[in-house]
């Protein structure tokens, strides 16, 4: 097994004192050229995990490693190696500047080339992601959401990062445009060997794009494994419930409905109760489940589940 390029190990994040952990003890490993899908309902901690990996929020516990070595979130190496795209690309661009200027900006920040060379490189990069020179001269509010997301991808890849963190990059786009952006991301992985963390609340999208899938629930990682395994043979009761909520995993049939389930995380005065956070909703819960939190354990090779009573597909 190859060594991961980039990891978050046992990471926890809390937004201020008196708040419970937004994510607790979460480990994410990204391998070269691999797309890891991160799924779970709204509020489960996907974006917080992404922000922690980008050094945008501090870890209250845990660490980041790059090529096996611990790395400080403010390290320049991390900035160069790990780039991001987000749900709303227009919000991350300066509204008064052209797409071209914004895409060339990272080169300027890193002191690369002359202004003219930077422009040429940016045009090249934009062309590669399907944005014409004519479009590139426009401002973010003068182009479509899809064009803007393409430009955001060009800006993220212009410094040739090793890792791309994608936080719901297609969630705000029309279905037909989504498919194009997903295709572009798949191409980038193949052509540049980019590793990606791909966050979505849409299991169908994740099943179509990703090699592995990680499922989060209420701030914890509950299951991880090959995307086909998680889609076809989920073992955590929450993943099973997610699967049941999705009538079709086939992207060609259109998008799966957005996943909406109540959170089962009981909290009292801002403190989370001990035990499994899914216990209040879980059909398989026993007293053991509310007494002690389950930890991720390998049920099958490369398939990890955090549950005292994993779902048995063939009882
Ligand atoms: N800036 C913030 N300040 C306080 N709480 C936050 C902030 N951002 C997120 N949270 C809380 O952290 C938890 C995880 O949120 P988030 O990571 O955004 O989830 P997701 O991306 O899966 O929807 C939620 O309970 C959310 O309310
Ligand atoms: S640990 Fe218990 S409550 Fe939690 S998911 Fe597993 S069976 Fe359900
Ligand atoms: Mg989010």
């Amino acid at each position: 097994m190859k060594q991961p390029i980039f990891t978050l190990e046992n990471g926890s994040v809390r937004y201020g004192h008196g708040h419970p952990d937004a994510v607790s003890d979460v480990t994410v490993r990204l391998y070269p050229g691999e797309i890891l899908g991160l799924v779970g309902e709204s509020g489960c901690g996907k974006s917080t995990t992404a922000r922690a990996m980008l050094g945008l929020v501090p870890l209250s516990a845990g660490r980041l490693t790059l090529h096996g070595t611990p790395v400080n979130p403010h390290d320049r190496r991390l900035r160069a190696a790990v780039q991001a795209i987000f749900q709303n690309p227009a919000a991350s661009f300066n509204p008064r500047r052209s797409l071209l200027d914004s895409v060339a900006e990272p080169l300027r920040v890193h002191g690369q080339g002359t202004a003219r060379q930077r422009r040429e490189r940016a045009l090249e990069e934009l062309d590669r992601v399907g944005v014409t020179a004519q479009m590139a001269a426009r401002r973010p509010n003068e182009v479509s959401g899809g064009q803007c997301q393409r430009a955001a991808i060009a800006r993220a890849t212009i410094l040739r990062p090793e890792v791309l963190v994608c936080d719901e990059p297609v969630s705000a786009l029309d279905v037909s445009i989504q498919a194009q952006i997903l295709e572009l991301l798949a191409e980038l992985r193949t052509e540049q060997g980019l590793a990606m963390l791909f966050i979505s609340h849409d299991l169908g999208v994740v099943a179509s794009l990703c090699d592995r899938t990680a499922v989060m629930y209420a701030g914890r990682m509950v299951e991880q494994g090959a995307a086909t395994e998680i889609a076809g043979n989920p073992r955590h009761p929450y993943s099973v419930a997610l699967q049941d909520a999705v009538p079709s995993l086939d992207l060609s049939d259109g998008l799966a409905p957005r996943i909406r389930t109540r959170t089962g995380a009981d909290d009292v005065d801002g403190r989370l109760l001990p035990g499994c956070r899914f216990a209040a909703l879980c059909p398989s819960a026993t007293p053991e489940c509310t007494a002690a939190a389950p930890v991720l354990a390998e049920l099958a090779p490369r398939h990890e589940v955090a549950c005292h009573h994993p779902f048995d597909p063939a009882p």
Side-chain angles (χ1 to χ4, degrees):
M1 183 100 197
K2 288 178 280 192
Q3 191 193 45
I5 297 186
F6 182 48
T7 70
L8 167 64
E9 292 178 1
N10 306 104
S12 297
V13 174
R14 72 172 49 129
Y15 293 102
H17 295 292
H19 286 263
D21 282 348
V23 307
S24 295
D25 198 24
V26 162
T27 294
V28 176
R29 297 189 184 90
L30 295 178
Y31 292 90
E34 176 192 68
I35 306 183
L36 173 66
L38 181 58
V39 300
E41 65 206 37
S42 178
C44 73
K46 303 179 299 296
S47 293
T48 301
T49 301
R51 282 183 216 125
M53 294 183 82
L54 292 163
L56 299 175
V57 292
L59 291 169
S60 55
R63 64 176 191 173
L64 298 173
T65 74
L66 196 57
H67 295 290
T69 315
V71 61
N72 184 300
H74 308 294
D75 196 307
R76 282 179 61 99
R77 282 187 305 149
L78 188 67
R79 293 265 169 276
V82 184
Q83 293 288 326
I85 56 173
F86 298 99
Q87 180 169 346
N88 184 354
S92 67
F93 281 117
N94 184 332
R96 288 182 299 276
R97 301 182 65 182
S98 69
L99 295 177
L100 178 61
D101 283 350
S102 290
V103 170
E105 178 69 10
L107 296 172
R108 195 187 63 74
V109 170
H110 285 258
Q112 292 186 15
T114 63
R116 191 195 161 132
Q117 287 166 336
R118 292 196 290 266
R119 253 180 91 82
E120 274 164 18
R121 273 283 293 117
L123 278 172
E124 245 173 63
E125 201 69 14
L126 281 158
D127 180 62
R128 217 165 51 86
V129 299
V131 178
T132 61
Q134 193 195 3
M135 281 289 167
R138 299 192 184 172
R139 295 175 182 182
N141 68 340
E142 295 167 339
V143 302
S144 69
Q147 288 288 318
C148 208
Q149 193 59 288
R150 286 173 188 273
I153 292 169
R155 185 179 55 179
T157 54
I158 198 161
L159 292 171
R160 292 288 173 267
E162 296 176 89
V163 176
L164 198 56
V165 172
C166 312
D167 190 355
E168 308 245 14
V170 299
S171 302
L173 303 174
D174 291 345
V175 175
S176 60
I177 309 297
Q178 290 195 2
Q180 292 171 17
I181 298 292
L182 295 173
E183 218 169 276
L184 177 60
L185 291 174
E187 269 170 38
L188 285 174
R189 176 265 288 280
T190 311
E191 287 168 11
Q192 297 184 17
L194 267 175
M196 291 186 207
L197 179 68
F198 181 88
I199 295 177
S200 179
H201 53 245
D202 193 312
L203 279 183
V205 167
V206 166
S208 72
L209 179 73
C210 301
D211 307 295
R212 277 192 310 138
T213 304
V215 184
M216 281 184 80
Y217 181 77
R220 290 184 191 269
M221 196 63 81
V222 298
E223 185 162 8
Q224 261 190 54
T228 49
E229 273 293 290
I230 304 296
N233 186 22
R235 305 296 298 275
H236 192 283
Y238 174 67
S239 311
V240 174
L242 271 188
Q243 213 67 313
D244 289 347
V246 177
S248 166
L249 288 173
D250 184 352
L251 189 63
S252 62
D253 282 351
L255 288 173
R258 302 204 162 178
I259 294 149
R260 268 192 218 99
T261 53
R262 278 187 306 132
T263 175
D266 290 342
D267 74 81
V268 176
D269 300 334
R271 282 177 306 115
L272 289 163
L273 296 175
C276 176
R277 292 180 182 174
F278 191 51
L281 294 172
C282 182
S284 312
T286 63
E288 187 189 359
C289 301
T290 43
V295 293
L296 269 185
E298 207 165 61
L299 269 196
R302 303 191 63 200
H303 189 162
E304 296 177 302
V305 180
C307 175
H308 294 306
H309 313 292
F311 179 71
D312 186 350

